[in-house]
Amino acid sequence: LEAVPVVNVKNKLVGRITVDDILDLIRDQAEEDIQAMTGFSDDVEESDSVYRLSRARLPWLLIGMVGGLLGAGFIGFFEEGLNAVTALAFFIPLITATGGNVGIQSSTLIVQSLANRSVFEDSLTKRLLKVFLVAVLNGLVLALFVMGTVVFLYDKEVKFGLVVSIALFSVVLLASFMGTLTPIILDKLGINPAMASGPFITTANDLMGLAVYFMVATLLLNL
């Protein structure tokens, strides 16, 4: 089938859609999603002007910068705790990076699923339960691995290892749900859900991961 006929309400032929037209549309939509996932606010190409390329990149870069400044301020709020247990700072990149990776994985999977509506025949409750079970399994494996590494490789106390592993497990759960729900909500609002797979998820999960990490440390280490 090289072309699809197009008819009006009176069933009269008014044109045709070729395979090339369909492939061009698929390619354009894929490029738009890829750019949205990497933080471009507009559809641009490498041949565009410097101003247009910068304008397309800056909005999400600024949002990420604001998130980073908020994260720095949040860390400063726990300055006394960091001075008391300086080793807490060593694992901040681990917590934030894992939360960002989990969130991006979850949101990317949902963005792909939104292209095929049949996958949403299950109820939202059933989908969230599946997300929860996957997050629990992944979180347990990662938490146990980190617990053993912190205690045996870094020669830290078991209580300190518990802080890092519990925080990591909690971040995996929260990031999974956020990465799942955010694209669905954006899609309902008529916003390209691919935007959830980029800087938005990363920045939000960084802040959330820091909050969980220091809350767990405060409770278990009595900071």
Side-chain angles (χ1 to χ4, degrees):
L1 183 64
E2 296 183 356
V4 177
V6 179
V7 298
N8 59 18
V9 293
K10 297 181 178 180
N11 207 31
K12 290 185 177 181
L13 182 66
V14 295
R16 65 174 186 168
I17 300 176
T18 65
V19 173
D20 291 340
D21 294 331
I22 297 174
L23 292 176
D24 288 341
L25 178 61
I26 294 173
R27 188 182 300 111
D28 291 341
Q29 290 180 339
E31 290 177 353
E32 181 182 347
D33 286 345
I34 291 172
Q35 290 186 355
M37 292 169 68
T38 52
F40 283 83
S41 60
D42 196 6
D43 184 15
V44 294
E45 297 180 0
E46 188 179 1
S47 58
D48 290 334
S49 66
V50 172
Y51 170 74
R52 182 174 172 81
L53 289 171
S54 298
R55 186 183 65 182
R57 297 183 185 188
L58 274 176
W60 280 110
L61 291 177
L62 290 173
I63 292 174
M65 183 69 67
V66 171
L69 292 173
L70 290 174
F74 193 85
I75 294 174
F77 183 75
F78 290 91
E79 183 178 0
E80 293 184 4
L82 285 173
N83 289 333
V85 187
T86 55
L88 284 173
F90 301 162
F91 298 96
I92 290 176
L94 171 69
I95 298 296
T96 55
T98 302
N101 290 337
V102 171
I104 290 175
Q105 284 181 344
S106 300
S107 61
T108 301
L109 188 62
I110 294 299
V111 170
Q112 291 176 339
S113 299
L114 286 170
N116 181 11
R117 298 291 174 172
S118 62
V119 299
F120 285 94
E121 291 177 353
D122 293 336
S123 66
L124 181 60
T125 302
K126 187 174 181 180
R127 288 190 62 81
L128 290 179
L129 178 60
K130 188 175 183 179
V131 169
F132 174 75
L133 294 176
V134 172
V136 167
L137 179 58
N138 289 340
L140 284 174
V141 172
L142 294 175
L144 290 174
F145 178 78
V146 168
M147 177 72 176
T149 303
V150 170
V151 173
F152 296 107
L153 186 60
Y154 289 96
D155 295 325
K156 302 299 181 184
E157 296 180 359
V158 173
K159 182 180 287 188
F160 187 86
L162 282 173
V163 170
V164 180
S165 59
I166 291 174
L168 187 67
F169 178 78
S170 302
V171 167
V172 169
L173 291 182
L174 292 173
S176 295
F177 277 104
M178 188 168 185
T180 299
L181 290 176
T182 302
I184 296 176
I185 293 173
L186 290 179
D187 185 60
K188 295 292 185 182
L189 295 176
I191 303 173
N192 187 351
M195 293 177 62
S197 299
F200 179 82
I201 286 290
T202 303
T203 302
N205 281 336
D206 283 351
L207 296 175
M208 181 177 63
L210 289 172
V212 170
Y213 183 41
F214 285 112
M215 286 175 60
V216 173
T218 300
L219 292 174
L220 295 185
L221 300 180
N222 298 318
L223 299 180

